[in-house]
Each structure stands twice: as C-alpha cells, then as structure tokens.
Amino acid sequence: MRSTTDVRNNILSSINGLTLTELLTRHPDLARRTVQRVIAKLIDDREIIAVGEGRARRYFRTASRPDAGVPALVSDGFPAFIPLSADSLDIIAYIDQPPEARNPVGYQREFLDAYQPNATWYLSESLRRQLRTMGRTAEAAAPAGTYSRAILNRLLIDLSWASSHLEGNTYSRLDTRELIEHGKAARGKPAIETQMILNHKTAIELLVENIDNAGFNRYTLMNLHSALAENLLPNPADEGRIRQHAVDIAKSVYRPLSTPQQIEDTLDLLLDKAGQIRDPFEQSFFMMVHLPYLQPFADINKRTSRLASNLPLFRANLCPLTFLDVPEQAYSRATLGVYEMTRVELLRDLYVWAYERSTQEYLAIKQNLVEPDPLRLAWRDLIKSTIRAIVLHPEREPLACIAHTVSEQVPRHEQPDVQALIVEELRRLHEGVLARYGLRPSDYAAWKSVHKH
C-alpha cells in the first residue's frame, strides 16, 4: 500500500511528468500491472492526466489541483490560471518540441471540407451556453450593434491595445488611450507601433459603424484587412488583397497554400461556411481557427481574424472578445496547434478563458456606461457628412458651411443644438478620429494648412 501511495506522490510532485518506465525504475518492488492500475485510478479520479503515446506517454499532475506546496503544471506561456484540458496539454507537448522534431506539414483542405455548419461543433453545446451566460447584456433584444456602439470608446482602447500587444507592440494601455482619445503618440515609440494602434481603431470603427452591412464576405474581409494593414506592409498593393506569393510561418514547420487561385477558392468556401453558422460564438471561433490557418493575406492574418471573430458578437449585442491579458506565447502556441496538427482544443481553451476575462472587465464597467446623446444619435449621419465635406473642401468657410447645411436639413427648433454639435465635433477633430468621417491623414493635413487657427 505504501508503494502505491509513493507512485501517486511521485507523479503529483513531478513538474515534468513521469513515464511508466521511469515509475517502474523508481519502484522495482511493484509489478508493471500494479503500477498501471494505480495510474488508471489516478486518471479516473482526475488527479493526473496522460500526455503523448506509447513509450513517450507521460503522466502529469492535473493543473487545477490545489495541493499546497506542489506547483501546478505550467507550460512556457501558459500560466496555471488558464485551465487546460488533457487534449490541450497533448498539443503543448508536441508544439514545445524543437521544430526539427516536428513533422513539416502543408495546408490540409479536408480540415475545412469536413466542417459542416450547424452540424459540426468546435464549441460544445454546454460551452456555448456558458459563453452566452457570461456575455449576455441588457441590449440582447436591441438592434444589432447597440451594445458595441454604447461601449465604443472603451472598446477602441482595449481591443486596439490588447490585439496590438499580441503582435509585440510596446504601447501601454494608457499610451493607447492617449493616442485614441487625444491623438497623442507616445514618446520614444516606433512609428510602426503608433500606426498599428490607429489601424486597429479604424478597423473596429469600420465594423461597428457598418454593422448592418458587414458580414463574412469578401467586401468586409478585404476592407477589414486593408484598414489593419495601412502603411504597414512592404508592398502597399498587398493591402486588402489575396496574397500572390508563398509565405513562411516563423518558428513553425507549417507551409500554407502558395497558389493564388487555390487561396481564392478556399477563402470563398471558408466565408460561405462561416456565413451559415447560426451560433455567434461558434461563428466567432470558426474564424479564429480557419482564417489564420489559410493565411489568405501577405501578413496581418491573425489581427484580421481577431477582429473578424468579434463581428458575430457585435451583431448579437454580446460582450466583445478583447484579448485582454492573453499571454502572447499562449496565443502563439494555440495557433501553432491549429497550423501543425489541425487541432483546436488548445485554442478553444484559450478562447473560453479569454472571453471570460473580457466579460469580467465589461460587466464591471457596465453601470458606468454613459447613455448616448439622443440628438447626436439622431443626426449622426448629417454630422459626419458635414464634417467630411468641410475637410475635403478647405477653400470653404467652415461655420458658413455648417449654418447652410443645418438650415436646409434640420427642423427650425433643433437647428441651434445641431449646429452647436457639428461645431464641437469640428473643434475636436484630430488624426485619431478621421476614419469616422471617411477621411485620410492627407485630407486633414491639407485642411489644417488652410485653417491653422
């Protein structure tokens, strides 16, 4: 009895896990079958998990066990507070091997072909129910996009910062807020990092402002990529276009498709299947899996997938997935599991944890949301078109243009308030909000050169 207890303790205290051979070496007094029975019981009791196959199969302490003084199993980049299934640990064990020990693999079209919308599920029914409970908002029955518009200011900061952070961007959350709210670039930061943050802001606004028309189609996806890629690619012609050349994935043995026509055809199938999925979380996760796996663009595929994965959540008035506090190494490993193994379990576990983390943040600030100004909401299109027309025609006198437009299109009793709103919007105009009006930095610069005061 003492020896079988020692087998249990040996496994629970081993950070790197133990194989059956190693256990037999430590306990020569025990028969192989006895040790196997101990292992089987520990697995049934969920005290340990098995990772790997054959002689390489190792037994680890379950990460969630609260035994004091015994370190939880932690892979580099996967802290113990992110719950992982046995399948996920199996993926990590493979991905954490040196690249030369992993099998080179190309794009597996059958991975996509096998997925049947609303019949195949990457997220189980219980998981989808759990996610919906976590992400439900009071605006569930409101028109699509109501919640994302209500939290837009906070969403722009959080999602722009967290998604950029996953790409190695060193802007802090406070830096990001200053840039987005006041147009102030952080001192000492490379221009590429400032551009990345502003591109995220533009892309998020594109989705939220066009929620009624945005969908999983070529138009939305290409324009989303174009917004994220502006001024960041070596060849500007690659912005919003299917890549025309082969690409390699850093630190991976995965080789994506290289023929443009194959990429085109596969992307059409991917978007068609995504559009058929009825559950917003399954649809969201499907895009996180398959868009980076296909690598349809020369670069910025993962960023595009992270924003695209939010589109179904915006439409359903659910809390967004902001990727707050997601470790870059964890995200990278989970994505490699899809690339090299066509396995989704690790990315799924990370997705669920990341969504719970996001919802905690947003439900905590829910009571602090400011109700939108009804007048600004009612005249939002007029405000935007007027600001755009003023900037694109710098030769015109701004206040005269505003007065003329308001007198022609706004009822007399509302004219003073609407005119004041437009003047205020023009006064606060800066580079960080130009996309809202369909303007480019060059348009703004030209206007500013004429209206310096």
Side-chain angles (χ1 to χ4, degrees):
M1 184 68 178
R2 173 68 181 171
S3 295
T4 56
T5 301
D6 287 344
V7 170
R8 173 184 178 274
N9 291 338
N10 285 164
I11 299 174
L12 296 183
S13 62
S14 174
I15 296 177
N16 297 317
L18 293 168
T19 65
L20 177 59
T21 301
E22 289 169 341
L23 285 166
L24 291 172
T25 301
R26 293 189 182 197
H27 302 281
D29 55 319
L30 292 179
R32 183 186 189 90
R33 184 164 297 185
T34 301
V35 175
Q36 288 175 326
R37 278 200 299 269
V38 173
I39 290 171
K41 185 177 188 309
L42 292 172
I43 291 175
D44 287 343
D45 292 341
R46 299 191 177 184
E47 291 194 79
I48 67 171
I49 58 171
V51 176
E53 299 293 336
R55 293 182 181 179
R57 193 175 185 85
R58 304 185 77 83
Y59 302 96
F60 297 85
R61 168 182 173 264
T62 303
S64 59
R65 281 185 55 82
D67 300 34
V70 180
L73 170 65
V74 180
S75 168
D76 181 19
F78 266 98
F81 55 74
I82 300 179
L84 298 179
S85 64
D87 286 334
S88 291
L89 291 171
D90 198 14
I91 294 170
I92 290 174
Y94 178 79
I95 292 299
D96 279 354
Q97 297 179 98
E100 56 269 20
R102 309 197 305 260
N103 297 323
V105 61
Y107 183 85
Q108 307 295 308
R109 171 65 182 258
E110 56 269 24
F111 180 40
L112 178 61
D113 288 340
Y115 188 93
Q116 298 302 314
N118 310 308
T120 304
W121 299 101
Y122 290 150
L123 304 174
S124 66
E125 182 180 354
S126 60
L127 263 185
R128 299 195 306 274
R129 188 164 55 246
Q130 175 187 342
L131 291 165
R132 186 172 287 277
T133 299
M134 289 191 296
R136 186 177 294 122
T137 69
E139 290 80 7
T146 299
Y147 183 72
S148 56
R149 289 192 183 101
I151 62 168
L152 183 59
N153 291 342
R154 180 65 177 268
L155 176 65
L156 290 172
I157 296 166
D158 289 347
L159 184 51
S160 296
W161 172 69
S163 180
S164 296
H165 186 68
L166 287 174
E167 301 299 324
N169 194 302
T170 62
Y171 259 70
S172 69
R173 205 168 175 179
L174 182 59
D175 291 336
T176 303
R177 179 176 180 175
E178 285 295 303
L179 176 62
I180 287 177
E181 291 188 348
H182 306 294
K184 296 179 181 177
R187 290 183 179 179
K189 300 295 183 184
I192 191 172
E193 295 193 354
T194 303
Q195 183 78 57
M196 187 187 296
I197 297 284
L198 291 175
N199 286 1
H200 272 85
K201 177 183 182 293
T202 300
I204 296 164
E205 288 176 331
L206 184 152
L207 290 179
V208 173
E209 297 296 334
N210 296 281
I211 198 71
D212 294 330
N213 301 314
F216 290 121
N217 51 56
R218 284 288 193 98
Y219 179 82
T220 298
L221 190 65
M222 297 306 175
N223 280 276
L224 183 60
H225 179 265
S226 176
L228 287 166
E230 184 180 1
N231 205 23
L232 291 180
L233 297 179
N235 183 1
D238 287 332
E239 297 172 8
R241 291 183 58 198
I242 297 296
R243 63 179 165 86
Q244 302 296 305
H245 52 80
V247 294
D248 289 328
I249 308 296
K251 300 178 182 178
S252 177
V253 295
Y254 170 59
R255 300 293 178 263
L257 291 174
S258 58
T259 306
Q261 189 58 54
Q262 285 184 309
I263 299 171
E264 295 257 4
D265 295 343
T266 307
L267 180 61
D268 286 340
L269 178 62
L270 187 163
L271 292 173
D272 179 61
K273 291 197 173 193
Q276 295 180 52
I277 300 171
R278 291 190 289 269
D279 183 88
F281 292 105
E282 180 74 14
Q283 195 176 43
S284 168
F285 186 65
F286 178 89
M287 291 302 290
M288 271 194 68
V289 169
H290 281 282
L291 193 62
Y293 181 55
L294 177 59
Q295 294 279 308
F297 304 111
D299 197 2
I300 311 182
N301 291 281
K302 294 198 295 292
R303 268 167 270 180
T304 305
S305 76
R306 290 194 289 270
L307 266 62
S309 71
N310 267 293
L311 179 55
L313 310 182
F314 292 166
R315 283 198 301 226
N317 288 316
L318 292 159
C319 278
L321 173 58
T322 59
F323 300 91
L324 286 171
D325 298 329
V326 173
E328 189 278 329
Q329 288 297 317
Y331 181 77
S332 175
R333 278 168 168 71
T335 306
L336 285 178
V338 176
Y339 290 171
E340 299 188 16
M341 304 173 75
T342 60
R343 294 270 300 272
V344 304
E345 296 92 339
L346 187 56
L347 187 61
R348 177 200 63 202
D349 288 350
L350 185 61
Y351 179 93
V352 173
W353 177 85
Y355 191 67
E356 182 175 20
R357 175 69 185 85
S358 294
T359 59
Q360 289 169 347
E361 186 84 12
Y362 278 80
L363 294 178
I365 66 169
K366 194 173 179 181
Q367 64 270 26
N368 298 324
L369 291 179
V370 178
E371 284 295 314
D373 182 341
L375 193 68
R376 189 185 298 271
L377 188 62
W379 294 100
R380 59 194 294 271
D381 290 339
L382 179 69
I383 293 170
K384 290 183 179 181
S385 63
T386 304
I387 297 293
R388 176 177 167 78
I390 288 171
V391 174
L392 291 180
H393 298 281
E395 73 279 2
R396 299 177 184 174
E397 205 287 312
L399 294 180
C401 287
I402 294 171
H404 177 72
T405 300
V406 169
S407 66
E408 283 197 337
Q409 301 189 45
V410 180
R412 184 177 295 276
H413 69 282
E414 288 187 327
Q415 286 181 8
D417 291 334
V418 174
Q419 183 164 332
L421 272 179
I422 300 176
V423 170
E424 178 64 15
E425 288 289 300
L426 186 62
R427 186 185 68 80
R428 296 191 305 181
L429 192 65
H430 61 80
E431 287 191 359
V433 299
L434 295 180
R436 182 183 303 172
Y437 307 103
L439 297 168
R440 301 179 67 86
S442 57
D443 300 325
Y444 181 59
W447 182 76
K448 286 282 287 183
S449 68
V450 175
H451 302 274
K452 295 179 181 179
H453 301 292

